[in-house]
Amino acid sequence: MANNVLDPSALVGLLLDVLPLTNKTLTSPHDGLAALVHTAFSALSFRLIATDDTSSAKEHPNNVLPDDWNTKGLVDRTFRYRHDQSGLEFVVKVIKLGQRTLISAIAVESDKSASLDVATNDFVSPSFYPYDAAKSDAPPLVHGFISSNRITDFISQLKLKIIQKLIPGLRKEGYIEETEDSSSNAGPAPRSANPPPAPRRPDSPSYPDDPYYLPPGLRPRNPLEIGRRDLDPFGGVNPFQPPSLFPGNGGDGMFVGPDHPIFGMRGNRGQEMRGPWGGDGYLPPMGAPPGARFDPIGPNPGPFNPSFNGRPRRGPPGSGNSRDPDNDEFMPPGAGYMFM
């Protein structure tokens, strides 16, 4: 297999050869990156014909840059090329934009354009410049770049964004076209057009933590059944009487007591379930914000404290107080038989 024609070490060596004999100075990091771009095009057999927009086309032997390529007082660097595998002329501009470098290229006759925008200091070492390769004590040029890996990253992006757009399917020994998956990002990763799906919302907490959902297995009682206990001909006081005709409807008669359905509903397993107008376990939507603390509405019987306003559920008035700190209020008139 042929060696990679765009190998970083090969490019750095070739870069010194394309600098003119009388001007081997790279004045700035921008010059270092521009010279690297020209070196990559040279390695792929692009023929340099000019370094500005106005000069007539004239090929430069071995793609050596002219003496004044970076001394015309202009910040931007322009390279014009031709290639044997295309009848078009290509213009490549390396433009300085503050701390960034924009590489813009176009096939003149077809208006086919391409561009690459990178952060200059992501690839070159600013403290290394200016650099004069003609000096005998000049350090190796490779130190003018962050590392060989960063050179590889830059060339991968140059191939993908510029070269492959100008001449798709370019044939050169040791040259392999880049793909989106295999190339490294020269800058921040672009934002995906399709954002990731939103994370799945957790399941609703079970009763009683979430007051807006009924406990599993429990169903509200039919409101039309409330009061049917009054139709029971057998009453409910005699322990020897037959079972009720309407089981499960205890406490729903005309007298409102702690077992009345308006204060709570029971499931088919006898579990307590708060009603929509009473208690602190289930309220209509937006009745109270989730997690809010509020005073209980109405009687608050529970599985561990079966009481009604602090008194035993079945006991007579005044028989005891298990919760309230102050129980010296008088009972309402007629309340004696109502709670018996």
Side-chain angles (χ1 to χ4, degrees):
M1 181 178 179
N3 293 330
N4 180 11
V5 70
L6 296 178
D7 180 76
S9 58
L11 288 177
V12 171
L14 181 59
L15 194 157
L16 291 173
D17 294 337
V18 300
L19 293 177
L21 289 176
T22 57
N23 179 16
K24 288 190 173 293
T25 300
L26 299 174
T27 60
S28 65
H30 180 68
D31 270 1
L33 209 54
L36 182 62
V37 170
H38 171 62
T39 303
F41 275 83
S42 300
L44 295 177
S45 300
F46 284 83
R47 304 189 311 273
L48 180 69
I49 59 175
T51 56
D52 55 39
D53 294 317
T54 57
S55 299
S56 57
K58 181 184 69 172
E59 292 194 15
H60 295 251
N62 299 321
N63 275 6
V64 176
L65 293 166
D67 296 340
D68 61 350
W69 77 278
N70 63 347
T71 59
K72 297 178 181 179
L74 301 176
V75 176
D76 302 339
R77 308 299 177 216
T78 301
F79 308 102
R80 290 164 55 192
Y81 299 101
R82 288 193 180 274
H83 198 282
D84 292 340
Q85 297 179 26
S86 174
L88 306 178
E89 178 181 323
F90 305 102
V91 176
V92 179
K93 288 183 176 290
V94 185
I95 304 168
K96 185 177 185 299
L97 297 174
Q99 299 299 316
R100 303 190 67 83
T101 296
L102 173 64
I103 303 165
S104 183
I106 189 171
V108 178
E109 293 82 359
S110 70
D111 288 339
K112 184 188 299 182
S113 64
S115 63
L116 172 63
D117 177 16
V118 298
T120 308
N121 293 343
D122 283 353
F123 303 97
V124 295
S125 302
S127 60
F128 183 82
Y129 299 91
Y131 170 75
D132 187 358
K135 292 183 177 180
S136 57
D137 59 346
L141 179 56
V142 68
H143 296 321
F145 302 92
I146 297 296
S147 67
S148 295
N149 289 337
R150 295 306 285 156
I151 295 177
T152 300
D153 293 342
F154 176 75
I155 296 300
S156 295
Q157 289 297 305
L158 185 68
K159 288 165 59 178
L160 184 66
K161 303 293 186 180
I162 303 291
I163 298 171
Q164 292 173 199
K165 298 293 178 64
L166 298 179
I167 305 183
L170 186 149
R171 299 181 302 278
K172 175 73 175 179
E173 186 178 3
Y175 171 78
I176 300 176
E177 287 197 334
E178 206 74 30
T179 62
E180 289 283 355
D181 294 336
S182 62
S183 65
S184 301
N185 290 328
R191 181 175 297 180
S192 173
N194 298 320
R200 179 178 176 271
R201 296 180 64 181
D203 294 335
S204 300
S206 60
Y207 177 88
D209 297 329
D210 191 340
Y212 302 137
Y213 292 87
L214 298 179
L218 298 182
R219 296 293 183 269
R221 293 174 58 181
N222 187 344
L224 299 179
E225 293 183 356
I226 297 178
R228 292 182 62 182
R229 187 66 176 175
D230 292 335
L231 305 179
D232 191 345
F234 300 104
V237 239
N238 188 352
F240 301 103
Q241 69 180 17
S244 171
L245 294 179
F246 309 103
N249 292 322
D252 64 356
M254 67 174 65
F255 298 116
V256 178
D259 289 334
H260 201 280
I262 67 171
F263 296 132
M265 294 176 288
R266 289 188 178 275
N268 43 22
R269 295 185 181 180
Q271 294 173 283
E272 186 70 30
M273 183 170 65
R274 308 312 315 142
W277 299 286
D280 58 358
Y282 172 72
L283 290 176
M286 301 310 296
R293 299 182 61 183
F294 61 94
D295 292 334
I297 305 170
N300 184 29
F304 303 105
N305 196 357
S307 61
F308 177 57
N309 280 352
R311 297 177 177 82
R313 183 175 299 201
R314 299 294 182 185
S319 60
N321 185 338
S322 59
R323 291 188 301 173
D324 296 339
D326 184 6
N327 191 36
D328 55 0
E329 296 90 355
F330 292 101
M331 297 298 294
Y337 73 90
M338 185 175 72
F339 293 104
M340 290 299 289

